[in-house]
């Protein structure tokens, strides 16, 4: 339990041996420089990920700990969902040190942290930081967005879910309303744009959005918990 209660500073105060590439002040600029060096596509900034990361950094700094789990067992994905996120996969790395560049150096020196930071799976990232005494606590979060311009709108008639699947393997949209399959009322096979409508009387508490592949498999892209609170539109 001791490792959860104290900042892990031992691995964080490293010399900047990697040169200026990994010592940039903007964490996302640093991240994309690191990804380019690893021959991986850069990520786009995401405001919701940054909001969630900043909130967790503030909490960690206030309690003087580094941990991925909340007192109630919640995870980074749980925190992201609570803030209105709908993506199904989230990555998170944490660090503390005297400055951002020291933390970035430590992340690159750690095989586990580096694997997350330069993973080709991610398309978006966000970050947040907070002070804990003389130490800076940083949180960086990652996700992969599979739907462009996701919009979830609810009115008296029901719920409308629209957007466009980015994977070219999408052969048809599908929405699970609880255990019930819902087919799109609009589907464009060329652009993979979709529109689902669910009457108000039929709404369950949990929605899973996804698509069918050519082999007939269902690939989930987003999950939506009702009652609807705050759904952020995708890029």
């Amino acid at each position: 339990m001791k490792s959860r209660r104290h900042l892990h500073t031992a691995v964080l105060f490293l010399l900047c041996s990697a040169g200026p590439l990994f010592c940039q002040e903007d964490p996302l600029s640093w991240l994309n420089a690191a990804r380019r060096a690893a021959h991986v596509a850069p990520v786009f900034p995401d405001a919701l990920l940054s909001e969630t990361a900043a909130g967790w950094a503030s909490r960690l700094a206030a309690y003087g700990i580094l941990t991925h789990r909340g007192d109630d067992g919640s995870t980074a994905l749980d925190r992201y969902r609570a803030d209105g996120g709908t993506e199904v996969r989230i990555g998170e790395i944490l660090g503390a040190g005297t400055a951002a560049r020291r933390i970035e150096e430590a992340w690159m020196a750690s095989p586990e942290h580096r694997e997350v930071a330069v993973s080709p799976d991610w398309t978006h990232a966000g970050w947040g930081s907070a002070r804990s005494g003389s130490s800076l606590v940083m949180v960086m979060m990652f996700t992969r967005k599979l739907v462009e311009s996701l919009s979830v709108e609810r009115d008296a008639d029901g719920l409308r879910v629209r957007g466009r699947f980015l994977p070219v393997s999408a052969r048809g949209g599908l929405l699970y309303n609880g255990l019930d399959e819902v087919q799109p009322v609009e589907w464009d096979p060329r652009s993979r744009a979709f529109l689902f409508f669910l009457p108000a009387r039929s709404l369950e508490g949990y929605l899973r959005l996804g698509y069918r592949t050519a082999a007939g498999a269902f690939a989930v892209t987003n999950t939506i918990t009702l009652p609807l609170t705050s759904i952020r539109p995708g890029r």
Side-chain angles (χ1 to χ4, degrees):
M1 294 298 293
K2 184 177 180 180
S3 63
R4 283 172 52 89
R5 298 180 183 276
H6 299 279
L7 293 176
H8 307 313
T9 56
V11 299
L12 298 172
F13 297 98
L14 305 177
L15 294 177
C16 189
S17 58
L21 174 64
F22 301 128
C23 297
Q24 301 182 33
E25 292 183 2
D26 177 10
L28 287 186
S29 294
W30 160 80
L31 174 64
N32 279 331
R35 291 175 68 86
R36 284 193 297 271
H39 307 290
V40 175
V43 291
F44 295 95
D46 184 87
L48 183 58
L49 286 175
S50 290
E51 179 182 320
T52 305
W56 191 235
S58 295
R59 183 168 182 181
L60 295 180
Y63 287 95
I65 62 174
L66 283 185
T67 176
H68 292 283
R69 286 194 175 271
D71 295 339
D72 58 354
S74 57
T75 65
L77 181 59
D78 295 326
R79 295 188 288 274
Y80 171 72
R81 293 268 175 82
D83 285 340
T86 66
E87 263 61 53
V88 296
R89 186 181 176 197
I90 293 292
E92 180 184 75
I93 54 178
L94 315 173
T98 55
R101 67 183 180 89
R102 298 295 190 187
I103 300 170
E104 294 161 0
E105 293 160 15
W107 283 340
M108 287 297 100
S110 165
E112 291 182 355
H113 291 80
R114 187 181 189 280
E115 182 179 4
V116 175
V118 301
S119 170
D121 292 341
W122 312 126
T123 61
H124 290 72
W127 73 280
S129 64
R131 281 284 172 185
S132 177
S134 61
S135 291
L136 178 70
V137 177
M138 284 182 58
V139 176
M140 186 165 283
M141 297 184 67
F142 310 82
T143 194
R144 181 177 186 84
K145 295 195 175 185
L146 300 175
V147 175
E148 183 178 60
S149 302
L150 176 64
S151 172
V152 182
E153 301 174 346
R154 186 171 186 175
D155 56 28
D157 295 329
L159 191 74
R160 291 170 179 81
V161 181
R162 70 178 76 237
R164 185 178 78 87
F165 293 117
L166 294 173
V168 296
S169 57
R171 293 294 184 270
L174 184 62
L175 183 68
Y176 277 93
N177 178 28
L179 298 177
D180 297 331
E181 290 188 4
V182 180
Q183 300 297 326
V185 295
E186 295 180 12
W187 169 254
D188 183 348
R190 296 188 63 183
S191 67
R192 301 178 300 281
F194 59 82
L195 169 63
F196 292 91
F197 175 73
L198 290 84
R201 65 180 181 278
S202 70
L203 288 175
E204 300 289 343
Y206 189 67
L207 308 177
R208 288 181 296 149
L209 172 66
Y211 59 86
R212 293 287 191 189
T213 66
F218 175 66
V220 61
T221 61
N222 301 79
T223 61
I224 303 163
T225 302
L226 302 176
L228 194 64
T229 53
S230 174
I231 300 297
R232 306 294 181 87
R235 68 180 177 90

